[in-house]
């Protein structure tokens, strides 16, 4: 996988710290604006990236690039992913995939037509601890309640209150608590239970954007609440409760650092199946493998999951009367 990174923000800096550990991954290029040039040249030297681009067309025309990682602000995911697909590149797109389901459907159809792979970068789906949790669900009996709380006070919230609206709180740029951090909770739950029967979103809305909120998902037998907050903080953890026991996930649902299994009868156990210290390692190992093998079945499965998540997101935003983009 010869990768071009689109973007030079925090997520890119984070990814680059682990990129060198991923087999079959070459850092072919990085693209950003002229304002990012000094930063990108520094990253080029630090992480041995081959080429720096400030023109997208030139980056996408680079014959050494076969895959593009879209790590730009949320509202740019659709348009930049589309350009990369049309240029014949495989695309790995940061979460949230798009702002609307129809955009994701269009991208998937374009990718199929151009015979390239399209995948969403969503860490928890690939973590060994997540696979362990899925495997142990049946030991909990009938699942009754799931609560996911990812609440983390944003350093940008004070500026937002003062009138400076940065991308994290900008509805035109796809910001807000649901799209930024609660979406990890949605991926976590949908990956376990699939499509919910109903979706409700009770949000704290300021200046047209949700700064925090509680998302309720009804799975008939199982009731789910996903809490995401950028205007307040609390212990970050998730619980899965069943008639025969519970699982407590320690830390946010994008990392799944470890979990505890607490059966109604029997000894409690602490579980940690992590294979690497960085949450992005396992997903990019799998992406590199899929691209090397042209694994269309894997991509089809992952796109179906991403589409379900986007449908939940759309219903939640509509319920809270929040308009993005």
């Amino acid at each position: 996988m010869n990768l071009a990174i689109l973007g030079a923000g925090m997520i890119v800096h984070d990814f680059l710290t682990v990129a060198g550990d991923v087999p079959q991954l070459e850092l072919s290029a990085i693209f950003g604006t002229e304002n990012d040039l000094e930063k990108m040249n520094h990253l080029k030297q630090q992480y041995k990236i081959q080429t720096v681009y400030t023109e997208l067309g030139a980056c996408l025309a680079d014959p050494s690039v076969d895959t593009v990682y879209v790590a730009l602000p949320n509202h740019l995911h659709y348009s930049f992913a589309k350009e990369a697909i049309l240029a014949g590149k495989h695309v790995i797109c940061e979460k949230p995939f798009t702002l609307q389901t129809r955009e994701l459907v269009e991208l998937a159809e374009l990718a199929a037509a151009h015979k390239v792979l399209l995948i969403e970068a969503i860490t928890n789906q690939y973590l060994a601890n997540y696979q362990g949790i899925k495997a142990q669900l049946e030991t909990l009996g009938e699942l009754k309640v799931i609560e996911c709380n990812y609440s983390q006070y944003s350093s940008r919230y004070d500026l937002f209150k003062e009138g400076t609206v940065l991308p994290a709180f900008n509805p035109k740029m796809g910001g807000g608590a649901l799209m930024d951090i609660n979406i990890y909770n949605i991926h976590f739950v949908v990956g376990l239970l699939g499509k919910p029967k109903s979706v409700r979103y009770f949000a704290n809305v300021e200046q047209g954007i949700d700064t925090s909120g509680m998302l309720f998902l009804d799975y008939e037998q199982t009731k789910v609440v996903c809490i995401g907050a950028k205007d307040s903080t609390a212990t970050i953890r998730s619980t899965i409760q069943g008639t025969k026991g519970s699982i407590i996930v320690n830390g946010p649902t994008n990392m799944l650092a470890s979990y505890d299994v607490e059966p109604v009868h029997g000894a409690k156990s602490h579980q940690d199946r992590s294979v690497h210290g960085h949450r992005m390692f396992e997903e990019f190992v799998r992406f590199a493998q899929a691209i090397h093998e042209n694994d269309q079945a894997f991509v089809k499965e992952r796109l179906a999951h991403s589409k379900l998540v986007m449908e939940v997101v759309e219903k939640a935003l509509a319920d809270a009367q929040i308009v993005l983009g």
Side-chain angles (χ1 to χ4, degrees), residues 149 151-153 229-236:
N149 190 336
S151 297
Q152 192 170 52
Y153 192 90
K230 295 167 69 66
D231 57 9
S232 54
T233 193
T235 300
I236 301 174

Side-chain angles (χ1 to χ4, degrees), residues 20 23 26 55 59 64 99 159 178 193 218 240 247 255 294:
E26 296 292 332
E55 291 187 7
C59 180
S64 72
L99 301 188
L159 290 171
L178 185 79
L193 302 181
D218 184 7
I240 305 172
I247 291 175
M255 297 182 70
N294 190 33

Side-chain angles (χ1 to χ4, degrees), residues 50-265:
Q50 294 175 20
T51 311
V52 171
Y53 290 102
T54 56
E55 291 187 7
L56 180 62
C59 180
L60 296 180
D62 188 335
S64 72
V65 172
D66 59 39
T67 305
V68 167
Y69 172 37
V70 180
L72 296 161
N74 296 349
H75 70 298
L76 299 177
H77 290 181
Y78 163 74
S79 60
F80 279 77
K82 184 175 181 178
E83 288 297 316
I85 291 169
L86 292 174
K89 309 299 184 183
H90 305 298
V91 173
I92 299 165
C93 186
E94 259 305 324
K95 64 81 194 170
F97 217 140
T98 54
L99 301 188
Q100 298 176 330
T101 304
R102 63 174 178 80
E103 293 176 334
L104 172 55
V105 171
E106 180 188 342
L107 290 179
E109 291 174 350
L110 274 177
H114 286 77
K115 298 181 180 180
V116 295
L117 305 189
L118 173 68
I119 314 166
E120 182 177 17
I122 178 68
T123 53
N124 57 21
Q125 298 299 297
Y126 302 92
L127 294 172
N129 279 335
Y130 188 62
Q131 306 312 317
I133 290 167
K134 291 176 75 172
Q136 291 190 269
L137 279 185
E138 63 182 20
T139 68
L140 303 183
E142 296 180 11
L143 296 184
K144 293 298 185 179
V145 175
I146 296 178
E147 178 190 2
C148 302
N149 190 336
Y150 192 170
S151 297
Q152 192 170 52
Y153 192 90
S154 172
S155 59
R156 299 168 179 85
Y157 183 61
D158 290 337
L159 290 171
F160 175 71
K161 295 287 283 186
E162 294 169 3
T164 301
V165 182
L166 297 172
F169 290 102
N170 190 336
K172 293 182 179 179
M173 300 180 75
L178 185 79
M179 298 297 266
D180 185 27
I181 55 179
N182 212 353
I183 197 161
Y184 290 114
N185 296 333
I186 300 172
H187 275 281
F188 178 86
V189 172
V190 169
L192 297 178
L193 302 181
K195 183 178 181 178
K197 179 182 176 182
S198 66
V199 177
R200 296 296 311 274
Y201 186 41
F202 297 92
N204 290 311
V205 179
E206 301 179 37
Q207 302 180 49
I209 199 66
D210 55 321
T211 59
S212 59
M214 301 177 71
L215 177 71
F216 292 90
L217 306 177
D218 184 7
Y219 286 91
E220 294 186 351
Q221 173 184 275
T222 310
K223 309 304 179 185
V224 178
V225 59
C226 295
I227 302 169
K230 295 167 69 66
D231 57 9
S232 54
T233 193
T235 300
I236 301 174
R237 69 172 189 173
S238 300
T239 57
I240 305 172
Q241 299 169 215
T243 55
K244 295 183 179 179
S246 62
I247 291 175
I248 295 88
V249 180
N250 304 305
T253 48
N254 66 334
M255 297 182 70
L256 304 180
S258 65
Y259 62 98
D260 298 298
V261 181
E262 300 185 354
V264 172
H265 304 290

